[in-house]
Amino acid sequence: MDAPPLVIVDAANVVGSVPDGWWRDRRGAAERVRDLLVPYAAEGLPGLPGPLELVLVVEGGARAVTSVPGVRVEAAPGSGDDRIVELVAEHPDRSRLVVTADRELRRRVTELGAEVTGPRTVRP
């Protein structure tokens, strides 16, 4: 059986897409995004049916966020963007979707063959 599509979420970018006071509690904001992602693992995203492998890449003050069933959390040792690019590069034979609005990151991952969508895909 083929591996499910890999969906990599740029936590910092998705968290920052809604001015809900996230800057007061970066870890809590990343945990809320992680929890929003859980149903997508089984149900899929618009145009991308489940099951999906969901990876939330966190950095900085959100590094302590832990994985939950359905969402694997990767703590970037440095730049979250660099870790996302590494994850995309590690899986060249899989369908990969990166969730971010960061222009430079979008350019880097599409050069590696990944698709890209914006934060509204996973945030109501």
Side-chain angles (χ1 to χ4, degrees):
M1 182 175 150
D2 290 337
L6 177 62
V7 178
I8 305 166
V9 180
D10 179 355
N13 191 266
V14 173
V15 163
S17 70
V18 177
D20 61 0
W22 59 264
W23 49 90
R24 290 188 292 271
D25 180 9
R26 292 173 194 268
R27 178 182 176 177
E31 287 172 339
R32 288 189 297 279
V33 168
R34 176 202 60 200
D35 296 345
L36 279 173
L37 296 173
V38 170
Y40 298 125
E43 297 167 12
L45 291 165
L48 190 62
L52 306 174
E53 181 182 347
L54 282 162
V55 179
L56 180 67
V57 176
V58 295
E59 62 188 1
R63 279 197 189 101
V65 173
T66 58
S67 298
V68 295
V71 180
R72 185 174 91 234
V73 177
E74 286 263 340
S79 158
D81 290 1
D82 289 346
R83 182 64 187 129
I84 291 167
V85 171
E86 289 170 2
L87 286 167
V88 167
E90 287 170 10
H91 301 281
D93 297 329
R94 287 181 71 182
S95 170
R96 297 150 300 162
L97 176 68
V98 176
V99 180
T100 187
D102 181 298
R103 274 195 202 141
E104 176 61 13
L105 178 57
R106 291 170 77 98
R107 182 193 64 75
R108 291 172 69 191
V109 298
T110 56
E111 285 178 354
L112 295 171
E115 299 291 322
V116 180
T117 191
R120 283 190 216 140
T121 303
V122 296
R123 279 202 91 146

